[in-house]
Amino acid sequence: MKAMGAADGINFTGKCDRSPNTLLSHVLMDFAHKSTGSNNALAERLFQAYFTDGIYPDIANLATLAAEVGLDADAARAHMADPKAIAAVQAEVRRNSKSTSGVPFFVMNGVPTFSGAQDTDAFISAFAQVAK
């Protein structure tokens, strides 16, 4: 994994010695999307924090990471502690689990396209189909 990541400029360090439950990360991603219309910067920071920096994604660390990408840390922490926000993300997970068979999972124009790692040709073909 380290060699494959290095080829794409990703430094998988293995510094974090435990696997997290990612529910709160997903709740935070929901907060970012609702707050700004995008969660891309947060997603990049979360992956870097865990895979490179070795930061375990507990609620305190997640709030700090949210602030690093310009989100309000207190509002992010409140959203992650909100039972309704957690339940909404869990419901979305249940809905998506019916059609998602691997990660990453790609949806283009609202249509499930493919799952799992794909080569460049798969993306080119999918984009060509969407462009029609």
Side-chain angles (χ1 to χ4, degrees), residues 17-112:
D17 62 352
R18 52 192 168 146
S19 297
N21 177 328
T22 61
L23 177 61
L24 288 180
S25 296
H26 285 89
V27 174
L28 181 58
M29 293 286 287
D30 175 66
F31 171 77
H33 191 264
K34 287 177 177 172
S35 299
T36 68
S38 175
N39 55 21
N40 292 338
L42 178 63
E44 289 291 330
R45 184 63 187 110
L46 292 176
F47 284 122
Q48 179 189 23
Y50 180 75
F51 290 110
T52 301
D53 303 336
I55 297 171
Y56 187 80
D58 61 24
I59 196 164
N61 288 334
L62 289 170
T64 298
L65 296 168
E68 288 180 15
V69 298
L71 297 169
D72 180 299
D74 291 332
R77 190 178 288 106
H79 190 78
M80 289 184 286
D82 180 358
K84 289 181 182 178
I86 293 168
V89 169
Q90 289 172 320
E92 185 175 358
V93 168
R94 282 190 297 279
R95 278 191 310 276
N96 291 337
S97 69
K98 294 175 184 168
S99 63
T100 305
S101 60
V103 291
F105 185 76
F106 298 91
V107 176
M108 295 185 182
N109 284 352
V111 177

